[in-house]
Amino acid sequence: MTDTPLNFGDPEDLERLRHDFRAWLAGHPLPERPADEPLPVFLHRWHRQLHSGGWVGLDVPEQYGGRGLTALHQVTVSDELGARGAPGVPRIGYLAHALLRFGSEEQRRRLLPRMLSGDDVWCQGFSEPGAGSDLAGMSTYAERRPEGHYIVNGQKLWTSYAQYSGLCLLLARTDRAAPAHTSISAFLLPLDRPGVTVRPLRAANGDDEFCELFLDDVRLEEFERIGAEGDGWPLAMTTVAYERNAQDTGHLSKYGLLIERLRRAAHERRGTLPDGLLSDIGRCAVDYQVLVAHARRRTAERLAGQSAGPESSVDKLLMTRAEQRLYETALKVFPEELYGEGGEVLGDYFYSRAASVYGGTSQIQRNIIAKRLLGLPVGPRA
Amino acid sequence: MERDEFTLVRDMLRAFATRFRSGSADDVKAQTRTDAQRALDELGLTGLRRTSPPAATAQECALLAEEHGRQPLTTSLLGTALLAPELLRLLDEGERAEPVHGARPTVALAGDLRFPDRDAVGLVAWDCDGADTALLVHAEGRVTEHELGSPAPTADLLRGVRRASAEGRPVGRITPGAHRSWQAYALVVVASELVGAARAFVEQSVDYARERHQYGQPIGSFQAVQHQIADATVLVEACTSATRYAAWCLDSETPGRALTAARVAKAEVNSSAVEAVYAGMQVFGGIAQTWEHVAHLYLRRALVGATTLATTSDLLTVLAAPEGTR
Ligand SMILES: Cc1cc2nc3c(=O)[nH]c(=O)nc-3n(C[C@H](O)[C@H](O)[C@H](O)COP(=O)(O)OP(=O)(O)OC[C@H]3O[C@@H](n4cnc5c(N)ncnc54)[C@H](O)[C@@H]3O)c2cc1C
């Protein structure tokens, strides 16, 4: 944490970018989402459209398909989308950062441009039935053969959108004897590889979001390993730190939209509002704007040289707070979704309940803050 | 200010704060208050916001207010060095009717410490140690100067508050844009001091959790304690982000945007600073419930601060209104 003034960006430079982006948006209307189109498919079309205008990966170096600008530029684009009622920018920042840091030069040049353009869609194969919070306990095993390749066996769970993805960032143990934190490696797994079975699981809101992944004697080549053997743990920590980072999630803007919808609805129904609802809405606005301010501050700190680390657990908890309170309030404003056929708000409400579980549960975030950010002593056990 | 110049000023304030901090409620005496204020005045901070363009940015002033809030201090940095000079600066840009008589004015607020509205009763001079008059901004932008009266009671044992005369001498007006900036600046400066207080108190509770042993281990090793401290840390970070961003908006964005950001910051701080102090007090256990311990000095500051200028309900009502109607 810095206690000198922070640089939140050059307003003129960012205003110019905002202006260019608005001009582009004017000529490129949002795609329509047909009623039967799954959300990930719709978002993917949107991703490609944004990329065609040069609006994805603004802070990724040019040689890897980005624009070589700063994270503040990326945040500005995300902000503007929110203001326009558009879906947020694609959530690929955390994968891109893992590749930037751990990938070989060849992998960065081959994989990053395709990730940014949406040619490759990635998913994240970390969790397992027996290894959720305690990721170090994973048992998927990649056995190295004398010829140099690996044979992988195991099962992954909760792999979001694997059914829509071509590639998976896979974690597997490469050494059964060494301590967990040095015995895990990361791989790039093409999901059409023989031996891979993807089975969608239905989520509480009725959507097919996450999947089970079964790996039976799957062959992976040495060049498909990301980083050195045993680098999987630090790579995973980098990935989740960015995944928890408010500015890298790209979808903050959707909260802003819903809040304005709630404000309007409440304004029209003035007089018949349940007690306290107006202040609940005001509180949601505060949570959201605090989150935006926090994302800006973290971006500014990152530009000043701090990398993503345990502080991103703070981001994750603030995001969870904003999201859960917002959808609880939304259901109070639109109670009809509880009695009728349901609807988007009810679906998003269910998804918001998962916010305190995915990407590391809220308890795990608190553990990280206590131990790694504040350096509190290690407990009796846990 | 240049960055190293700012660091110098901040370090000066830090050294001052370490010297004049109240170790407990019993240290808060008339003589120590006067000595502390005199020492603060010698740092010459009233010039930071007096000129146009100001010598220090709003962001720098907010950081100084944060620093001031970290220790239990009785000095009126906010009222006399930051807020009143800013008002005079904004006044100069608008129309100025009469000179200000006081050599060292502070600001006047409604009797309940909120921004005065049209029929504010029982004015007070807020944060008035070392001050000789108080400047009031009326709801429609008129500015008047008021005489100081007897001390007004407040639960915040550190803050100097006195009654102010109902009638004031007109000294000028500020434009509607300047009025928005003024409100935003005042909200940010007050919020910043509370952020500093909450952060420092939570840090003290973290240190205590490392040292204090029960059941043969540091209490900070118990997960229930860790989670309470983690939650308090999240609240402090939220307050910090919102307030620092709002301060930056004052330097870089329109007064309207800056005011929205400042309202958000104050709303967050109003609830979260108090929550964070509660968490810290829980970690300290019994000792924090005594008169001698500094905990209640922080709690008092946060409690009263949460209603100063704008209450949570004032702010949430405004922030719940659709964008076009605000
Ligand atoms: C919608 C959704 C999408 C997901 N997407 C992906 C994905 O794409 N890729 C992927 O790899 N994973 C994904 N996950 C998995 C997610 O990361 C795990 O669910 C999460 O880490 C928790 O693991 P678990 O479900 O096994 O719960 P458990 O670890 O069994 O935890 C159960 C409960 O015990 C608590 N607990 C456990 N250990 C501790 C401790 N040490 N201290 C205090 N409390 C503790 C937890 O907080 C929780 O409340 C997704 C999950 C969801 C819900």
Side-chain angles (χ1 to χ4, degrees):
Chain A
M1 213 210 54
T2 152
D3 58 0
T4 49
L6 278 172
N7 178 5
F8 286 93
D10 168 7
E12 271 180 41
D13 176 33
L14 296 177
E15 213 45 54
R16 237 185 336 268
L17 182 83
R18 201 182 283 277
H19 179 269
D20 292 349
F21 186 46
R22 273 187 200 157
W24 181 83
L25 280 174
H28 295 79
L30 298 183
E32 294 280 324
R33 179 179 166 199
D36 58 349
E37 185 176 64
L39 186 63
V41 177
F42 168 71
L43 290 178
H44 187 234
R45 283 202 288 133
W46 173 232
H47 175 165
R48 283 177 169 282
Q49 182 172 326
L50 275 178
H51 179 265
S52 73
W55 304 109
V56 177
L58 276 76
D59 57 342
V60 173
E62 284 174 272
Q63 66 266 39
Y64 309 128
R67 281 175 66 179
L69 300 171
T70 71
L72 283 166
H73 294 86
Q74 188 65 68
V75 170
T76 303
V77 165
S78 191
D79 253 15
E80 192 54 32
L81 285 174
R84 289 306 162 111
V89 296
R91 300 181 59 178
I92 50 176
Y94 62 98
L95 290 163
H97 280 286
L99 275 180
L100 277 170
R101 176 141 169 231
F102 289 92
S104 65
E105 181 59 17
E106 186 276 323
Q107 285 170 333
R108 287 195 291 248
R109 285 192 186 267
R110 177 163 51 92
L111 299 170
L112 278 167
R114 293 178 56 82
M115 177 189 286
L116 295 184
S117 66
D119 286 343
D120 287 337
V121 178
W122 289 65
C123 62
Q124 190 191 76
F126 290 7
S127 306
E128 298 185 7
S133 297
D134 187 10
L135 197 56
M138 74 177 58
S139 55
T140 293
Y141 186 59
E143 186 190 349
R144 192 174 181 138
R145 290 291 161 86
E147 304 88 303
H149 66 266
Y150 295 86
I151 298 295
V152 191
N153 280 287
Q155 184 190 349
K156 293 288 165 179
L157 189 57
W158 315 124
T159 324
S160 291
Y161 303 127
Q163 68 275 51
Y164 303 106
S165 308
L167 296 173
C168 177
L169 179 62
L170 180 80
L171 290 184
R173 195 148 249 131
T174 37
D175 187 340
R176 282 207 176 98
H181 298 177
T182 56
S183 64
I184 293 170
S185 302
F187 297 91
L188 163 79
L189 166 72
L191 288 170
D192 58 3
R193 195 58 57 90
V196 178
T197 311
V198 176
R199 200 166 72 90
L201 285 171
R202 201 140 188 235
N205 64 2
D207 283 350
D208 287 341
E209 165 167 341
F210 30 53
C211 298
E212 281 179 295
L213 227 59
F214 298 95
L215 307 168
D216 293 307
D217 288 336
V218 177
R219 178 180 165 136
L220 284 175
E221 305 305 324
E222 192 168 8
F223 73 84
E224 290 172 317
R225 195 188 61 232
I226 301 173
E229 215 171 76
D231 270 358
W233 186 258
L235 179 141
M237 291 306 109
T238 301
T239 311
V240 294
Y242 279 102
E243 187 184 9
R244 292 165 185 159
N245 224 239
Q247 84 257 19
D248 287 307
T249 53
H251 65 172
L252 297 189
S253 49
K254 76 171 190 195
Y255 304 145
L257 279 182
L258 178 59
I259 290 166
E260 190 57 13
R261 229 180 107 197
L262 300 185
R263 283 173 175 147
R264 292 237 175 80
H267 192 67
E268 280 154 24
R269 269 188 250 166
R270 201 172 270 280
T272 60
L273 290 178
D275 280 355
L277 192 53
L278 219 49
S279 65
D280 286 348
I281 295 173
R283 175 58 64 190
C284 291
V286 171
D287 284 353
Y288 166 61
Q289 307 256 12
V290 168
L291 191 58
V292 170
H294 185 71
R296 295 260 171 135
R297 171 174 154 230
R298 298 296 315 284
T299 308
E301 285 180 348
R302 199 201 279 180
L303 292 179
Q306 270 181 31
S307 60
E311 312 81 25
S312 48
S313 292
V314 174
D315 302 26
K316 171 85 198 306
L317 289 171
L318 285 177
M319 196 141 52
T320 303
R321 174 181 92 163
E323 181 163 331
Q324 294 189 335
R325 192 139 60 189
L326 175 56
Y327 288 102
E328 285 162 32
T329 304
L331 273 187
K332 290 188 206 161
V333 178
F334 302 114
E336 57 279 8
E337 295 221 0
L338 280 174
Y339 312 121
E341 298 276 292
E344 208 178 314
V345 168
L346 184 63
D348 287 347
Y349 164 82
F350 272 109
Y351 199 68
S352 76
R353 300 318 306 166
S356 46
V357 175
Y358 60 67
T361 69
S362 293
Q363 287 98 322
I364 296 303
Q365 309 305 334
R366 291 186 180 103
N367 288 352
I368 294 172
I369 292 171
K371 299 211 179 77
R372 292 178 45 213
L373 198 61
L374 303 174
L376 283 170
V378 183
R381 175 73 195 96
Chain B
M1 275 189 273
E2 292 299 312
R3 189 163 286 237
D4 35 347
E5 212 181 325
F6 170 76
T7 314
L8 207 72
V9 174
R10 186 206 55 205
D11 291 350
M12 237 162 52
L13 185 61
R14 195 170 280 176
F16 159 83
T18 324
R19 197 162 148 231
F20 287 95
R21 65 184 295 275
S22 306
S24 87
D26 287 332
D27 291 349
V28 183
K29 298 192 188 93
Q31 190 56 49
T32 50
R33 293 190 85 111
T34 316
D35 293 346
Q37 189 66 38
R38 190 167 303 131
L40 179 74
D41 292 350
E42 279 163 14
L43 299 182
L45 301 176
T46 49
L48 293 178
R49 282 306 273 192
R50 185 59 192 88
T51 51
S52 277
T57 61
Q59 228 187 328
E60 287 163 340
C61 292
L63 287 169
L64 293 178
E66 240 186 77
E67 194 64 48
H68 189 262
R70 292 184 58 85
Q71 310 283 350
L73 289 169
T74 55
T75 38
S76 296
L77 173 83
L78 271 48
T80 60
L82 298 180
L83 294 181
E86 171 76 353
L87 189 52
L88 292 173
R89 184 179 78 83
L90 293 170
L91 198 63
D92 286 350
E93 284 178 351
E95 346 148 18
R96 174 170 204 143
E98 302 283 339
V100 170
H101 285 191
R104 210 157 203 298
T106 185
V107 290
L109 298 175
D112 59 4
L113 302 187
R114 282 149 85 191
F115 281 128
D117 58 17
R118 247 160 255 283
D119 34 36
V121 283
L123 292 180
V124 294
W126 179 83
D127 217 27
C128 64
D129 274 50
D132 48 11
T133 55
L135 301 171
L136 177 72
V137 187
H138 295 257
E140 69 314 327
R142 217 158 32 89
V143 180
T144 48
E145 187 181 21
H146 298 252
E147 302 301 320
L148 305 192
S150 55
T154 162
D156 182 351
L157 301 176
L158 302 168
R159 184 87 69 203
V161 183
R162 289 168 66 178
R163 295 182 212 285
S165 62
E167 290 304 311
R169 287 175 348 94
V171 290
R173 307 185 62 83
I174 53 175
T175 63
H179 196 185
R180 275 195 288 277
S181 294
W182 157 249
Q183 291 194 327
Y185 178 78
L187 287 168
V188 165
V189 164
V190 171
S192 296
E193 194 183 46
L194 301 178
V195 172
R199 178 177 292 281
F201 186 62
V202 170
E203 282 169 10
Q204 288 167 33
S205 74
V206 171
D207 291 342
Y208 186 75
R210 280 206 192 93
E211 290 152 17
R212 173 79 176 166
H213 280 62
Q214 288 296 292
Y215 301 95
Q217 0 182 354
I219 57 166
S221 69
F222 300 124
Q223 196 178 48
V225 174
Q226 292 184 344
H227 283 195
Q228 188 142 34
I229 291 176
D231 283 337
T233 302
V234 171
L235 295 177
V236 167
E237 292 299 327
C239 291
T240 306
S241 295
T243 308
R244 291 192 184 173
Y245 179 66
W248 177 82
C249 284
L250 264 162
D251 293 324
S252 322
E253 299 268 15
T254 60
R257 280 204 198 181
L259 184 53
T260 300
R263 284 173 168 151
V264 166
K266 184 66 171 38
E268 179 67 42
V269 169
N270 281 358
S271 51
S272 295
V274 176
E275 275 302 312
V277 173
Y278 285 162
M281 285 179 87
Q282 186 65 22
V283 171
F284 276 105
I287 191 77
Q289 320 303 323
T290 64
W291 179 259
E292 285 72 23
H293 198 271
V294 289
H296 71 108
L297 295 179
Y298 283 102
L299 178 59
R300 286 162 183 274
R301 170 133 291 179
L303 267 180
V304 178
T307 65
T308 302
L309 303 182
T311 63
T312 307
S313 110
D314 294 339
L315 296 163
L316 294 188
T317 311
V318 179
L319 294 168
E323 249 147 43
T325 66
R326 242 175 270 151

